[in-house]
Amino acid sequence: MERSISSESWQVNADDPEALTALLDLPEFTVTRLEYDAHLDLLLLMCHPQYDVAVCPTCDTVSAQLHDTTERRVRDLPWAGKRCALVLPARRFKCARCQRPFTERLAAIAPQARSTRRYADYLFEQCRGTTIQAVHRREGLGYKAVEGVYYRLAAQRHSAPTLTTVRRLGIDEIALKKGHGQYVLVLSDLDHGRVLTVLPERTKAALEAYLATWTADQRAAITDVALDLWEPYHLAVQACLPNAQITADRFHVMQNLNERVTEARRAIQRAAPDEEKAQLKGCRWLLVKNRDDLTVEEQAKLEAMFAVSPALQRLHDLKEAFRDVFETAPDRPTALEQLTEWVQDVEQRGVSGLTAFVATLRNWWEVILNYFHDRLSSGFVEGMNNKLKLIKRLAYGYRNFSHFRLRVLVECDGGLESH
Ligand SMILES: [Zn+2]
């Protein structure tokens, strides 16, 4: 008899004993009774195995000789909004051939598991985009139980990303905890918007060791690499990826500029007379925020600050002019011309705070200009950085690197959109 729920419409009478079995939709079990435990606020479905025999996992012989039975309780998907558990016999059979007892294997429940496979899948999905803590509370399960399910499924689903289609690679470092100097390296497939791996160290050796796990063909297939402005990565890429053109990632270039702008702003504020200092308070974010993103109030506030400090205005104008080049330059020659003018402008106006940034530009000149070839990456890298920030916040900082790595691989796999 077919017991699973068919895709067609169907109906059962409330007193039909088959109804609960059909609703449960696990062909291995017949539901014999439904109970509600008010103390636990839990629906209990008493289940009886469909078959009186089991197959020995060692020799595949069918055995009907029951060795022993204990009661097993496993969580399952909620019914009508109520938490639900199945109560079923955990049976051991004795194999006539091996003469050894074995535990019956079930399709719906993994060995030793305390939830059905489908409920584990459900828990895994629940954890996406939120904390394990939140799911543990919502579902009334132990924290360790939810954590165990999440990372076990995460490891199964994201063990080996395919590398055959990777052409453009992004290499990014992120701080696991702000200010603690603990950095990890994130490698991404830029065309498919997914993270390939997370390395526990941001060293040349770690990057080279990882790239060495690729085949020669996979390494040769990489045409472009978007990088942070850090020498060891460049050396590793040059050594391992023979056909890759290196591009400075726009996101990091702008980040670098904004850091220098912030330093220069601090110097301006420090040097300002006391009566101006008060008026310049709170300009930190206004100054680094993109001009197009400012609200009317923020614009007005910024204008008021510029009236007090022309130096601040010069700084802001230069930052925006630089950003304009990245937004609008149609090709490499135009960008070359505009960036050269920008550097001259900074030097002529004597904006001392940007001297360090000009040095960085000169240092990485070609690599930064490569961006204007085909405007590699950006959107994904910036989006990914925001997502990683969220992941770090979700976990209140990660003590366990392998957990962090799996979280990132799950949340940034490109196939599934974030919640
Ligand atoms: Zn056997």
Side-chain angles (χ1 to χ4, degrees), residues 318 321-322 325 333-349 358 361-362 365:
L318 282 166
F322 186 84
V325 178
T334 313
L336 171 64
E337 194 181 307
Q338 291 178 346
L339 287 183
T340 307
E341 276 171 27
W342 188 86
V343 168
Q344 282 168 356
D345 205 14
V346 170
E347 286 172 339
Q348 276 164 14
R349 295 211 217 175
V358 167
L361 272 186
R362 289 224 162 94
W365 193 245

Side-chain angles (χ1 to χ4, degrees), residues 139-153:
E139 295 293 317
L141 281 166
Y143 180 88
K144 285 279 172 196
V146 180
E147 188 185 45
V149 166
Y150 179 81
Y151 288 109
R152 184 167 52 78
L153 291 188

Side-chain angles (χ1 to χ4, degrees), residues 348-369:
Q348 276 164 14
R349 295 211 217 175
V351 183
S352 61
L354 294 180
T355 315
F357 183 70
V358 167
T360 304
L361 272 186
R362 289 224 162 94
N363 223 345
W364 299 98
W365 193 245
E366 292 300 320
V367 169
I368 287 172
L369 280 171

Side-chain angles (χ1 to χ4, degrees), residues 55-61 94-100 102:
V55 178
C56 168
T58 313
C59 69
D60 283 340
T61 302
K94 192 166 180 188
C95 177
R97 201 171 187 185
C98 306
Q99 286 300 311
R100 273 204 307 258
F102 65 89

Side-chain angles (χ1 to χ4, degrees), residues 322-336:
F322 186 84
R323 200 169 67 84
D324 277 346
V325 178
F326 271 78
E327 290 287 332
T328 60
D331 50 39
R332 202 176 195 276
T334 313
L336 171 64

